[in-house]
Amino acid sequence: MVFISLERSFPCSVLIDAVIYARPRERFGVNMTGWPPQEIALHPEKRVLFLTKDLELIRKQVYDGLNLRMEDLSVDDLLDDINTDVMTPAWVCFDHDPAEIAKNAYAGLMHHGMRVIGENMLKEGDFECIVSGYRKGTGSSRETAAQCERWSGIRLVIAASFAPIHERNNINLGQLMGDHELLLRLQAGEAINRDEFTDRYDPVTRLIIESGGLFSFAKKMQAGEIVVPKLSATWRPMTMTEKIIANNLVGQAEGSCVRPHDPVIAKVQGGYSHEFTTAQVHNFLVAEYGDDYTLPQPSKFAVFEDHLLYAHHNPKFLPYMDKVQTLRDLQVTFQRHTGVRDYSAVNGVSPGICHQVAREEFIDVGDFIQATDSHTCMGGVSNALTYGVGATEYASLIYSGFTFVKVPESIRFELVGKLHPGCTAKDVMLHILSDHARKEMTLNRSMEYGGPGLAYLSMDERATLCNMATECSARNGICEGDEMTVEWMLMMRPELSASQVWEKIVAPDEGAIYDGGTHHIDLSAIVPMVAHPGDPDEGIPSDPTNGALVSEIGTVDIDIAYGGSCTAGKIDDIAYYAEVCAAAEAAGMTVAEAVDFYIQYGSGLVKEYALEQGWDALFRRVGVNVIDPGCGACIGAGPGVSTSPDQVTVSAINRNFQGRSGPGKLYLASPLTVAASAFTGRITAWAPTIFEE
């Protein structure tokens, strides 16, 4: 039995002392045995790839054999905010075998319309180490981003900082991560003890890495070979996230409190996957536990068919539709094998986007939910702890019944005042992204929302705040519960009573510690914003943190306006689109001739409400292309994507990464700004009198 001390962890007996260039056997879904070694050194015949802001310099390393050294570069020379869409674009994820995924590693890294790293080139370049700047792996929770490096031969990942889900995925795959100082020493020929790569982690995370990944660790947990450290019995005031984790502790005394960075095991109330991820979950479980594996509590978990339902509308995806069908078929296989809840499309129509349907149907106050999508954090609007994980972590937790948690630090957003009529919660998030997130104040923290201004935001608007916590590279977003929370939950769950909901509401304790500080956001000071598309060819990534005031961007003509996604396909978002469309119709206007305007519902419930209110008919009268529920253009898989680099889109989706929603330039904006722009033909902030001018 391995006892984990709070001061240090003991190495697992199966580890083999070797160096980084040892290449033991591996098979699909299984971590290498013998990794990581006790001593880490660079192989003299292997290479280090520096992802520089000068994209031509990357190409020279890949194709011309140029070798760089850290001592000749600074951190400022390296690419920041490398997102998971760049590492594995949507079409790459149509392959569920990591070995196939690795063939197209970094397929989304483009320079003047061409791939910087061609097919198989990461692997064929004999790179064992990859280097970048700040916030490596932002965006989607897709584990394929970590897999594309791992299965290309990369076992050492160097960056100034990592986005939390991507870092966790690397840990779960047994990848070693380090900083630029460690790389300087390695390139100088030094062999470095493994502890220097892992001592910044808590004891449990260290053991996961030293075991070669999460599956090996989970087996030891189930076998009783690992005992987690006992927490202090001393009471302390806790934040909302800390209290929910404490309520779900496994192997701890009743009433135990948690602190940031505590390594704990916790049970979850449920989770879900979708057709982009379920195939890997199923195959990982088969590889680890055999064809006859079973789940202990399948009724608490679900599968959704929502991401790829309209993929055939994107011409770029047409060659891959056989792979898309394979993903659908494997999800059906998984659902029938396990008996999890089924939210498949019926007659070609999806029940809706997983995050929206989950909050409507089964995320309850105080729950702890994990799912294979970064926007799982949207469920925090219901005063719940919800966040995304990779396929390996999800497969492990639904099989074992528990999940490993490193308690995150928290950052508090105290909302005051009231938004102006032309602003929405999306503008609030664009403000936070351009300020707090860009400064890494939200990195891997729980974003907790409260204050008197929260009462002026509807549940759907609060959901936007929680949903886009992942764009801030935060762990999760969570809202305080109040009368509005209870009323909404009773509307969604008529079988509950008000007292039952109130009993589950989790409030922060007085005196709770916010390591990220408490930040006051005056809602009345928020003005309409966009996130601009940057200039990827010059090393300035397309990123949601590229905030700019609409009033300061000048004239930006648009070709496409898109309203939808989990962020902006809720009832209140549809109401915003309807407000603008009604004003345009009253002014005798239709959608601008040069613009295609798309509105896509977030769920069947949202569509039903829009039909009842007459909004659906209104949209069609003024020239909107209305789409049934699903993710669609948000991941480039549906109507509303750009089809050429010169097209400009203003979109209410959550992220504007290069190529995510087509090859054109994409500006993020609020539902009001998107709708107003559709009628004026240029990016325009909404005001009730705008069409009277």
Side-chain angles (χ1 to χ4, degrees):
M1 180 176 293
V2 177
F3 293 90
I4 305 174
S5 163
L6 282 173
E7 287 74 37
R8 62 186 295 271
S9 61
F10 294 91
C12 178
S13 60
V14 301
L15 295 177
I16 300 173
D17 289 344
V19 292
I20 197 169
Y21 51 85
R23 301 225 175 250
R25 66 178 181 84
E26 64 176 291
R27 61 190 177 91
F28 177 79
V30 180
N31 291 300
M32 286 188 182
T33 58
W35 178 265
Q38 189 65 50
E39 292 269 311
I40 309 299
L42 296 180
H43 191 293
E45 297 179 3
K46 297 295 179 180
R47 303 175 63 204
V48 178
L49 176 62
F50 290 85
L51 300 175
T52 56
K53 290 175 181 173
D54 182 346
L55 302 185
E56 277 299 324
L57 207 54
I58 301 176
R59 195 186 299 275
K60 289 178 180 179
Q61 294 175 79
V62 172
Y63 290 95
D64 299 337
L66 174 67
N67 289 313
L68 300 177
R69 297 185 65 82
M70 191 67 230
E71 63 189 34
D72 298 321
L73 299 168
S74 72
V75 177
D76 291 338
D77 295 320
L78 301 170
L79 271 177
D80 300 322
D81 300 296
I82 295 175
N83 62 74
T84 53
D85 285 75
V86 162
M87 300 172 75
T88 50
W91 63 270
V92 176
C93 301
F94 297 156
D95 280 307
H96 59 280
D97 184 336
E100 291 297 313
I101 290 165
K103 292 179 179 179
N104 285 295
Y106 284 86
L109 186 60
M110 308 291 288
H111 191 203
H112 298 304
M114 296 180 61
R115 284 176 60 170
V116 176
I117 301 176
E119 185 174 344
N120 277 320
M121 290 309 297
L122 184 62
K123 183 175 182 179
E124 291 179 4
D126 283 329
F127 298 106
E128 62 179 346
C129 176
I130 196 162
V131 191
S132 59
Y134 290 93
R135 297 172 296 277
K136 169 73 176 292
T138 60
S140 169
S141 64
R142 61 186 71 169
E143 189 180 301
T144 54
Q147 292 169 359
C148 82
E149 293 181 336
R150 155 85 160 74
W151 269 264
S152 293
I154 301 293
R155 297 313 307 263
L156 183 58
V157 186
I158 301 293
S161 60
F162 294 86
I165 301 177
H166 184 68
E167 180 177 29
R168 197 77 219 161
N169 286 337
N170 273 314
I171 290 167
N172 293 336
L173 292 178
Q175 295 285 74
L176 283 183
M177 290 170 283
D179 60 25
H180 301 99
E181 291 300 316
L182 286 171
L183 179 59
L184 280 169
R185 293 164 57 191
L186 288 169
Q187 285 196 305
E190 184 177 345
I192 301 176
N193 191 283
R194 181 184 63 211
D195 291 348
E196 293 199 49
F197 291 88
T198 62
D199 61 8
R200 64 191 174 97
Y201 295 111
D202 62 85
V204 178
T205 299
R206 289 187 64 177
L207 193 61
I208 292 173
I209 298 171
E210 292 167 1
S211 297
L214 186 62
F215 281 128
S216 177
F217 169 83
K219 286 181 177 179
K220 292 178 176 62
M221 275 289 300
Q222 287 184 301
E225 299 174 16
I226 294 172
V227 177
V228 297
K230 295 298 180 183
L231 299 173
S232 170
T234 304
W235 184 86
R236 67 179 293 271
M238 292 185 288
T239 66
M240 289 183 281
T241 289
E242 290 166 356
K243 291 176 81 169
I244 293 176
I245 293 172
N247 290 343
N248 288 283
L249 291 173
V250 174
Q252 302 289 346
E254 186 174 351
S256 294
C257 294
V258 299
R259 291 168 171 75
H261 313 296
D262 276 349
V264 298
I265 305 298
K267 61 181 181 293
V268 297
Q269 276 66 60
Y272 50 91
S273 60
H274 50 68
E275 74 270 41
F276 237 141
T277 56
T278 303
Q280 283 204 339
V281 173
H282 178 60
N283 282 352
F284 286 172
L285 288 169
V286 168
E288 283 295 316
Y289 305 111
D291 293 334
D292 58 348
Y293 77 88
T294 59
L295 303 184
Q297 295 177 305
S299 64
K300 292 187 176 183
F301 297 90
V303 293
F304 286 87
E305 188 176 359
D306 61 347
H307 274 58
L308 302 176
L309 203 61
Y310 305 101
H312 59 283
H313 286 272
N314 186 342
K316 184 178 179 180
F317 289 170
L318 288 177
Y320 308 105
M321 291 311 298
D322 57 333
K323 294 182 178 181
V324 171
Q325 188 58 48
T326 297
L327 293 179
R328 292 169 177 157
D329 293 343
L330 285 172
Q331 176 159 284
V332 171
T333 298
F334 171 79
Q335 192 280 324
R336 292 175 177 172
H337 180 92
T338 60
V340 298
R341 298 168 69 146
D342 186 11
Y343 291 95
S344 296
V346 178
N347 297 323
V349 179
S350 171
I353 304 172
C354 52
H355 315 299
Q356 175 66 14
V357 176
R359 66 182 279 250
E360 291 170 354
E361 297 206 4
F362 60 82
I363 297 179
D364 290 321
V365 167
D367 274 356
F368 184 14
I369 302 290
Q370 292 191 318
T372 58
D373 193 287
S374 60
H375 290 106
T376 303
C377 52
M378 180 170 166
V381 64
S382 297
N383 190 233
L385 172 58
T386 64
Y387 57 85
V389 296
T392 293
E393 191 163 356
Y394 187 74
S396 179
L397 73 91
I398 63 173
Y399 181 84
S400 65
F402 59 78
T403 188
F404 165 68
V405 178
K406 181 179 180 181
V407 180
E409 296 179 351
S410 294
I411 180 171
R412 171 86 175 180
F413 289 92
E414 191 81 6
L415 307 181
V416 298
K418 186 177 181 180
L419 289 171
H420 292 297
C423 294
T424 75
K426 182 64 167 292
D427 296 295
V428 178
M429 286 310 302
L430 291 173
H431 166 73
I432 291 174
L433 278 157
S434 67
D435 187 345
H436 306 77
R438 181 166 282 277
K439 297 172 184 174
E440 293 197 344
M441 298 167 69
T442 54
L443 182 64
N444 205 15
R445 287 179 167 144
S446 172
M447 298 175 66
E448 302 203 353
Y449 301 100
L454 192 65
Y456 293 105
L457 297 178
S458 70
M459 289 293 287
D460 280 355
E461 285 283 76
R462 297 177 190 186
T464 299
L465 300 182
C466 293
N467 178 286
M468 293 190 68
T470 191
E471 273 64 58
C472 298
S473 293
R475 177 75 67 86
N476 66 291
I478 183 171
C479 289
E480 289 189 352
D482 57 12
E483 289 280 359
M484 190 184 297
T485 309
V486 176
E487 291 174 4
W488 192 87
M489 289 301 302
L490 293 177
M491 183 170 61
M492 294 294 105
R493 317 273 195 282
E495 72 277 9
L496 298 176
S497 67
S499 61
Q500 287 176 311
V501 179
W502 276 113
E503 286 173 2
K504 290 187 175 182
I505 283 181
V506 178
D509 291 324
E510 184 175 352
I513 296 173
Y514 293 92
D515 293 275
T518 297
H519 305 266
H520 290 79
I521 304 292
D522 183 356
L523 298 180
S524 67
I526 298 295
V527 295
M529 292 187 68
V530 296
H532 65 76
D535 190 350
D537 285 332
E538 298 302 321
I540 304 171
S542 301
D543 193 84
T545 64
N546 294 334
L549 304 184
V550 174
S551 61
E552 296 180 353
I553 62 173
T555 300
V556 178
D557 295 329
I558 65 167
D559 302 286
I560 299 169
Y562 177 83
S565 80
C566 55
T567 306
K570 309 178 296 296
I571 286 177
D572 280 10
D573 302 311
I574 305 302
Y576 284 134
Y577 305 134
E579 178 184 356
V580 178
C581 288
E585 185 177 50
M589 299 176 65
T590 57
V591 172
E593 185 176 353
V595 176
D596 290 319
F597 185 16
Y598 299 88
I599 292 176
Q600 186 165 20
Y601 299 119
S603 73
L605 184 66
V606 174
K607 178 183 178 180
E608 182 180 334
Y609 190 82
L611 289 167
E612 292 173 354
Q613 298 298 313
W615 296 340
D616 188 273
L618 166 65
F619 297 149
R620 297 175 191 276
R621 288 198 304 271
V622 297
V624 177
N625 300 291
V626 183
I627 312 169
D628 278 328
C631 290
C634 184
I635 54 166
V641 300
S642 59
T643 55
S644 66
D646 60 338
Q647 287 183 307
V648 177
T649 299
V650 61
S651 178
I653 65 176
N654 36 57
R655 48 183 64 138
N656 60 337
F657 300 149
Q658 181 187 18
R660 179 176 175 87
S661 192
K665 295 180 174 64
L666 191 148
Y667 289 78
L668 296 180
S670 76
L672 287 174
T673 298
V674 167
S677 303
F679 291 96
T680 64
R682 61 187 184 279
I683 296 180
T684 306
W686 165 248
T689 59
I690 191 173
F691 300 136
E692 299 172 9
E693 299 174 357

